[in-house]
Amino acid sequence: MSTERTLILLKPDAVQRSLRGEILRRIEAKGYGIVALAQRTATAEELSSHYAEHEGKPFYQPLVDYMGSAPLVAIVAEGEKVIEGFRSLAGATNPTSAAPGTIRGDLGREWDLPVIQNLVHGSDSPESAAREIAIWFPEVG
C-alpha cells in the first residue's frame, strides 16, 4: 500500500460550533497524520477554484457564499487509504441520514437553508486531492 494525502475542510459551521478539536481528534485517532493545517477565511479565488466543477449549478453560489462567510480550517491529512477512510469517517452528506459514529452522524445538524451545513469536506479521489491541496496549500504540493 502507498500513503496518500487528502484535503479536509472543517467548514464554517464546525468552526462556529467549536468542533475543531473533536473532529481533529477523530482524524488522528483513525491514525492519519496532519501534514498542514490553517484556519482562515477562504478567498473568493480559492472557493471558485475549489468548486469549479459545480459552477452554474443552482447550489453553487449559496455554497461559495456560505464557505466564505466565516473562518474554516483547511487540513492536509496523510495515511494509508486516507481518502476513502476520511470519507467514511465523515459519513453521508446529509447529517440526518449519516450513520451514528461518523462525524456528520454524531455532530451534524440539518438546516433548512440553501446549503446543507455538514461540518466537513474531504477529497473524493487522488486527482481531486492533488488539485484541492494545490489550491489551499500550494507550498505542500
Side-chain angles (χ1 to χ4, degrees), residues 24-102:
L24 283 168
R25 184 195 67 74
R26 290 177 184 225
I27 293 166
E28 291 183 318
K30 188 79 172 170
Y32 302 134
I34 304 299
V35 174
L37 182 146
Q39 179 172 310
R40 64 178 182 268
T41 301
T43 67
E45 294 78 24
E46 288 168 329
L47 294 170
S48 66
S49 294
H50 185 89
Y51 292 112
E53 73 267 18
H54 299 302
E55 192 169 357
K57 295 178 182 174
F59 63 85
Y60 173 80
Q61 196 58 54
L63 177 60
V64 169
D65 291 345
Y66 165 66
M67 292 296 289
S69 68
L72 55 74
V73 176
I75 301 164
V76 176
E78 182 176 75
E80 299 295 326
K81 296 187 177 185
V82 69
I83 295 169
E84 177 185 357
F86 178 75
R87 290 178 66 80
S88 178
L89 184 63
T93 300
N94 185 325
T96 299
S97 58
T102 65

Side-chain angles (χ1 to χ4, degrees), residues 88-134:
S88 178
L89 184 63
T93 300
N94 185 325
T96 299
S97 58
T102 65
I103 292 167
R104 292 172 178 151
D106 291 350
L107 307 172
R109 299 176 179 168
E110 186 172 357
W111 299 100
D112 187 19
L113 299 171
V115 177
I116 293 176
Q117 296 185 9
N118 62 3
L119 304 172
V120 294
H121 161 83
S123 305
D124 64 5
S125 69
E127 298 77 21
S128 292
R131 183 183 66 78
E132 293 172 356
I133 290 168

